[in-house]
Amino acid sequence: MLVRVAAATAIIAGAASAKVFFHEDFASMDKWVDSTAKDSYGKFTLSSGEFHGDKDINQGLKTSQDAHFYASSVEMPEEVTNDGKEFVVSLSVKHEQGLDCGGGYVKLTPAMDPTKFNGDSEYHLMFGPDQCGSSRRVHAIFNYKGENRLWKKEPRYPDDKLTHVYTLRVKPDNTYEMYIDQELKESGNLEDDWKLLEDKEINDPEDKKPEDWVDEAEMNDPEDKKPDDWDTCLLYTSPSPRDS
């Protein structure tokens, strides 16, 4: 995975006033636990990147090895709920090296052993930019009833080496908004843009074709017959102008 990522994350739920459940400024990596589920995982480091503004403000996690997957997690200080509240997840990502295939996204997971965190671990939400070849999109995947439900939309993200902020806002009325650099890029209804509900109409698994079913689009009518006067010739001529 060829990617350089620097990220700052925030998870917020709010009604009249917002409550910040988690905010990371990456002043250190003391709270983060690297997964040991695979020996091949790459090592995160702290960096402000090869170019930056304020060094401390722009510091984040950086992937230090090419062609590696990375998995590191931090325990939330308390359980997060969006019951009756708006829910906001925001992170900044910088593909400083340029990207051929890879991504930089966050996952919100149930409580787990952080050393066993891996690509198959259960999660509630995965959000962030991802690229594979010419396909470049922002992922927002919800886990609903044990299944990961992909976003039907495929919004593209800026193809450059600058830092960009990705924000997902989910509202209590089941609508959502997605911003890049505080500019609204997508919005809609969760039920319309994710396959969360069963189809209103489904195929009957017990249904089968009748034994006398005919597949031809057209067929002869066995009851059809020629009218009795079919061979009668009727000739009609209009009067000649000279006869009028």
Side-chain angles (χ1 to χ4, degrees):
M1 180 172 68
L2 305 179
V3 57
R4 289 290 185 266
V5 179
T9 59
I11 299 171
I12 302 169
S17 59
K19 177 177 181 178
V20 179
F21 283 92
F22 178 78
H23 173 75
E24 178 60 80
D25 58 10
F26 293 108
S28 74
M29 294 182 61
D30 294 343
K31 296 179 294 184
W32 291 82
V33 179
D34 290 335
S35 174
T36 57
K38 294 182 179 180
D39 294 335
S40 58
Y41 280 145
K43 183 70 175 179
F44 278 119
T45 61
L46 286 178
S47 174
S48 301
E50 296 179 6
F51 56 93
H52 52 77
D54 185 285
K55 182 178 180 180
D56 294 332
I57 293 176
N58 293 134
Q59 182 165 275
L61 293 184
K62 180 178 180 178
T63 58
S64 61
Q65 300 162 274
D66 291 343
H68 281 70
F69 289 98
Y70 292 78
S72 187
S73 62
V74 60
E75 184 178 1
M76 303 284 287
E78 62 179 289
E79 186 176 283
V80 176
T81 177
N82 66 326
D83 185 18
K85 305 171 184 177
E86 290 191 3
F87 179 72
V88 180
V89 177
S90 186
L91 73 155
S92 64
V93 180
K94 179 183 182 184
H95 293 139
E96 187 174 77
Q97 177 182 329
L99 192 64
D100 294 324
C101 187
Y105 33 77
V106 294
K107 291 181 177 180
L108 305 184
T109 73
M112 64 173 181
D113 180 348
T115 63
K116 297 181 179 179
F117 180 41
N118 63 81
D120 295 324
S121 297
E122 180 185 357
Y123 59 85
H124 300 302
L125 170 67
M126 186 183 102
F127 176 60
D130 183 80
Q131 179 168 344
C132 187
S134 60
S135 176
R136 189 174 74 251
R137 63 181 295 184
V138 178
H139 270 302
I141 304 176
F142 291 99
N143 184 288
Y144 183 68
K145 294 186 176 180
E147 293 186 18
N148 295 332
R149 312 299 177 103
L150 273 67
W151 196 2
K152 296 178 183 179
K153 297 181 179 180
E154 298 185 3
R156 295 175 68 85
Y157 61 88
D159 185 15
D160 57 39
K161 298 181 180 181
L162 304 178
T163 300
H164 296 283
V165 179
Y166 301 85
T167 304
L168 178 65
R169 178 185 183 189
V170 181
K171 302 180 182 180
D173 61 359
N174 284 337
T175 60
Y176 73 94
E177 297 170 346
M178 194 279 289
Y179 298 81
I180 299 178
D181 298 331
Q182 301 184 29
E183 181 179 346
L184 180 64
K185 296 296 184 181
E186 292 288 353
S187 63
N189 188 286
L190 296 180
E191 295 179 7
D192 294 335
D193 295 339
W194 283 264
K195 187 175 175 56
L196 302 177
L197 303 179
E198 296 295 335
D199 295 331
K200 293 181 180 179
E201 294 184 358
I202 60 174
N203 292 327
D204 182 359
E206 303 298 326
D207 190 23
K208 62 181 181 180
K209 185 184 297 186
E211 294 181 357
D212 59 350
W213 186 268
V214 178
D215 291 321
E216 287 78 4
E218 296 182 0
M219 59 179 289
N220 292 328
D221 182 359
E223 303 297 327
D224 191 24
K225 63 180 181 178
K226 186 185 296 184
D228 293 338
D229 61 349
W230 181 264
D231 295 323
T232 302
C233 179
L234 297 179
L235 178 63
Y236 174 79
T237 60
S238 60
S240 169
R242 292 178 295 178
D243 296 335
S244 59

